[in-house]
Amino acid sequence: MSSKLQAIRGMNDLLPERSPLWQYFEGQIRTLMQQYGYLEIRTPMLEQTALFSRSIGEVTDIVEKEMYTFDDRNGDSLSLRPEGTAAIVRAAIENGLLHHQTQRLWYAGPMFRHERPQKGRYRQFHQVGVETFGLEGPDIDAEVIALSARLWQALGLREHVRLEINSLGSLEARHAYRAKLVAYFNHHLDELDDDARRRLDSNPLRILDSKNPDMQGLIEAAPRLIDHLDDDSVAHFEGLKRRLEALGIDYVVNPRLVRGLDYYSRTVFEWTTTALGSQGTVCAGGRYDGLVEQLGGRPTPAVGFAMGVERLILLLETLDLMPAAAEDVLDVYLMGQGEDIDLHLLKMAETLRSRLPSLRVQVHCGGGSLKSQFKRADRSHARFAAVVGEQELADGVVALKDLRGDDPQQLLDSDALVARLAQWIEARPAAL
RNA sequence: GUGGGUGUAGCUCAGUGGUAGAGCCCCGGAUUGUGGCUCCGGUGGUCGUGGGUUCGAUCCCCAUCAUCCACCCCA
């Protein structure tokens, strides 16, 4: 097995058995984005390494040890994108999308992080995200959260996810608080556990979230973020809460909610589930008002989020929430036996596809007994089997059998066949 | 990066120091032009890989790879 060619660790094939579920999800995303008037943006999967180190943060785990980084032939350091936001900001600046304009954008695609794989965490994974630019009020924060909430509603997940929100304050307030916190913990270095000491450099705010009972006293006595919020951020946060309440979106304020990426400020939020084990965050985001400027653009407020597609798909599977109709990929299975029948079936199928473009037709290939052909038809989940034998060919008809209902088999000429199938198309459950 | 579990048929899994089994799937037959249910038959495995112990290893030992779960981190 070890010498066999196989996929890279943590990078998975999407097999035909599961692709309908992904397509269902992607269809829901498209509809949702259209509903809110968001436009899609696509950027390369490869960027200059510096883009990520300068945006995500030099000392974050993602940049320090999780990026797929290599030298291009000319010596430039390139990296596979570990997340979407930095590249969107780069593209927006580079293409002048932020020049006295507001933008509401969405993207979807694979991201890459060299982490140890586990449930809901892979080295190539997929995110769908939203980024808005040029809007500084809590109204847009509420809008992107409402957008995500509508997706849960559409997917049937509303009862299975919960919204946590917090404010990190303005970038200045947050940095001042961070410095104060680091100073505080530095005075108590001997009381910190190994994790906390490491976090002191990488993400000191995360120390507050430690599960170690020995450290709770120290944490209780630490300076509190909420006491260090600037007035504008407090007002902003209150404005967001008011709007969520008006929209009927339940939330929990989690003062320990801190995002891992350096560029966040003010609003941060997370949608979590308890149904997926330890990787329970299904969607997360927040405001990053300083990032555009940091990457060379004019100061531009921004807010966005990203969701983990694998985690959401896993959740849909766990909860068995995919509509059954999304799995049925065929309406008619054409089969037959006899001289020149295969030629006739091929032509018939093309005619049907021309006359009924939304009809899903497959022709049996490979011959075999009618019995075996019916078995294939049954397993294809097609609604109908259409049979042509010597007699039908001579009479110019088709024997149409409803494989899922009680209607008796009918002999139909081509117009009657088209009429019957058109009737089915009207009645069939929406696929997506 | 750290810890633990698991690698036997396409899938889900039994099993034994004397070179292997079930269910499902697949193929065929019972039904020579009709699927789903039932019954009968059949195909299919270098027991993850390499090494060691042994007369003999799928089983015991070591290493390695893969995979899963958790820590960490994050979507």
Side-chain angles (χ1 to χ4, degrees), chain A residues 197-400:
Chain A
R197 280 184 202 154
R198 197 169 38 71
R199 285 167 171 166
L200 202 49
D201 283 329
S202 60
N203 196 346
L205 276 62
R206 281 293 304 247
I207 300 176
L208 301 173
D209 209 9
S210 171
K211 290 156 196 150
N212 187 344
D214 296 341
M215 288 186 29
Q216 292 311 310
L218 188 66
I219 289 168
E220 292 297 329
R224 300 195 314 162
L225 176 58
I226 196 147
D227 298 328
H228 292 75
L229 289 187
D230 52 295
D231 293 345
D232 283 352
S233 292
V234 172
H236 186 105
F237 196 44
E238 291 306 316
L240 171 61
K241 289 195 279 193
R242 249 193 338 269
R243 285 170 173 81
L244 292 177
E245 281 152 24
L247 290 169
I249 298 173
D250 293 335
Y251 64 86
V252 176
V253 175
N254 176 0
R256 293 177 168 184
L257 176 62
V258 173
R259 312 264 50 260
L261 285 51
D262 269 4
Y263 52 63
Y264 285 108
S265 62
R266 289 205 171 144
T267 307
V268 292
F269 65 93
E270 233 176 62
W271 289 96
T272 59
T273 176
T274 53
L276 287 184
S278 70
Q279 306 301 323
T281 303
V282 118
C283 172
R287 187 162 272 284
Y288 47 99
D289 291 340
L291 183 59
V292 173
E293 186 177 15
Q294 193 182 327
L295 292 180
R298 301 179 64 113
T300 305
V303 55
F305 66 74
M307 57 185 116
V309 178
E310 280 82 357
R311 290 182 187 179
L312 286 164
I313 299 269
L314 221 44
L315 194 52
L316 292 175
E317 285 175 313
T318 302
L319 301 170
D320 200 21
L321 286 175
M322 184 168 83
E327 255 172 318
D328 297 334
V329 299
L330 271 191
D331 296 307
V332 189
Y333 194 90
L334 291 185
M335 65 178 78
Q337 230 177 8
E339 286 290 312
D340 296 328
I341 292 286
D342 56 341
L343 210 61
H344 180 71
L345 292 177
L346 273 179
K347 282 157 62 182
M348 191 170 122
E350 292 304 333
T351 302
L352 283 173
R353 293 179 185 119
S354 296
R355 295 186 64 179
L356 298 169
S358 77
L359 187 73
R360 301 163 306 176
V361 185
Q362 199 159 83
V363 182
H364 176 84
C365 291
S369 66
L370 262 196
K371 177 193 178 72
S372 66
Q373 295 191 34
F374 262 98
K375 276 190 175 179
R376 295 288 177 94
D378 185 49
R379 270 185 275 125
S380 76
H381 293 112
R383 175 75 195 201
F384 298 99
V387 190
V388 177
E390 305 278 9
Q391 193 58 52
E392 287 85 354
L393 186 60
D395 297 347
V397 297
V398 170
L400 187 71

